[in-house]
Amino acid sequence: MPRVGVLALQGDVREHSAMLAEVGAEVVAVRQVEHLDGLDGLVLPGGESTAIARLMATSGIRPVLEARLHEGLSVFGTCAGLILLSSEILDGRSDQWSFAALPLAVRRNGYGRQIASFESVVEVKGIGAIPGVFIRAPKIETWSSDLEVLAMHDHGDGDHPVLVRYGAVWGCSFHPELTSDDRLHRLFVESL
Ligand code: GLN
């Protein structure tokens, strides 16, 4: 049974944990540095990327997770989690940092503010159509050609990646944990 952490500082931790348990993972709530030990994978949930970043710094998780990412830990960032993994944040706070584990530039609230939140079917390579819930979602504006793009979405301004993978690091713009479709979580857990 793979041991999968969910960064549990802020955001939709409960929903991710429930879905990971459903697909057969042993779930660990990561609140302190020690909780990062012995993990096969880690989910960075959606929420507020500035708040999660601040809490990662004050808890001491930031440098340890940075080292684990370099060592090849599998990490799946959704929504705010994608922002935290990106190499460049557009429209971020001036002091906002990120792990630079995904070679892409992401725009915070790139699909619009809360009122512009939407649901759309997302066609995922190897899985098929899944429901995509976009809430103040980050938009991937530019990306490296060696990034694996697993799903694109056209929100009226051309195709933008919404699910990507770069080796062991995965990111998506939407919220797979807020639906009853657990296939993305299953795909991640099966990759561990
Ligand atoms: N816009 C949020 C941020 O910048 C992310 C939204 C989300 O995770 N639902 O952190």
Side-chain angles (χ1 to χ4, degrees), residues 46-49 79-80 83 108-109 135-136 175:
E48 191 53 50
S49 56
C79 206
I83 298 172
R108 285 183 75 199
N109 303 315
I135 304 169
R136 294 190 303 123
H175 286 270

Side-chain angles (χ1 to χ4, degrees), residues 166-186:
Y166 189 64
V169 183
W170 307 51
C172 78
S173 300
F174 53 95
H175 286 270
E177 76 288 1
L178 296 183
T179 69
S180 55
D181 191 319
D182 62 17
R183 285 177 292 170
L184 264 192
H185 286 75
R186 196 176 293 281

Side-chain angles (χ1 to χ4, degrees), residues 52-71:
I52 299 173
R54 182 167 39 79
L55 294 167
M56 271 201 280
T58 54
S59 63
I61 287 176
R62 178 184 177 180
V64 178
L65 180 49
E66 186 144 48
R68 297 286 155 85
L69 276 161
H70 281 296
E71 288 160 22

Side-chain angles (χ1 to χ4, degrees), residues 138-154:
K139 185 180 273 180
I140 297 173
E141 297 274 8
T142 57
W143 58 97
S144 158
S145 57
D146 49 6
L147 188 75
E148 191 182 347
V149 177
L150 295 172
M152 288 271 202
H153 176 71
D154 182 355

Side-chain angles (χ1 to χ4, degrees), residues 122-135:
V122 173
E123 196 66 43
V124 178
K125 271 187 202 152
I127 290 189
I130 65 162
V133 179
F134 293 78
I135 304 169

Side-chain angles (χ1 to χ4, degrees), residues 41-142:
L42 175 69
V43 168
L44 303 185
E48 191 53 50
S49 56
T50 50
I52 299 173
R54 182 167 39 79
L55 294 167
M56 271 201 280
T58 54
S59 63
I61 287 176
R62 178 184 177 180
V64 178
L65 180 49
E66 186 144 48
R68 297 286 155 85
L69 276 161
H70 281 296
E71 288 160 22
L73 177 68
S74 287
V75 178
F76 186 11
T78 63
C79 206
L82 164 68
I83 298 172
L84 292 163
L85 292 171
S86 66
S87 48
E88 191 184 350
I89 303 172
L90 307 168
D91 292 342
R93 258 179 35 179
S94 55
D95 59 347
Q96 197 167 349
W97 58 270
S98 55
F99 287 115
L102 288 171
L104 55 85
V106 78
R107 188 174 302 282
R108 285 183 75 199
N109 303 315
Y111 290 94
R113 301 230 147 243
Q114 189 77 27
I115 196 158
S117 296
F118 64 100
E119 279 188 52
S120 177
V121 170
V122 173
E123 196 66 43
V124 178
K125 271 187 202 152
I127 290 189
I130 65 162
V133 179
F134 293 78
I135 304 169
R136 294 190 303 123
K139 185 180 273 180
I140 297 173
E141 297 274 8
T142 57

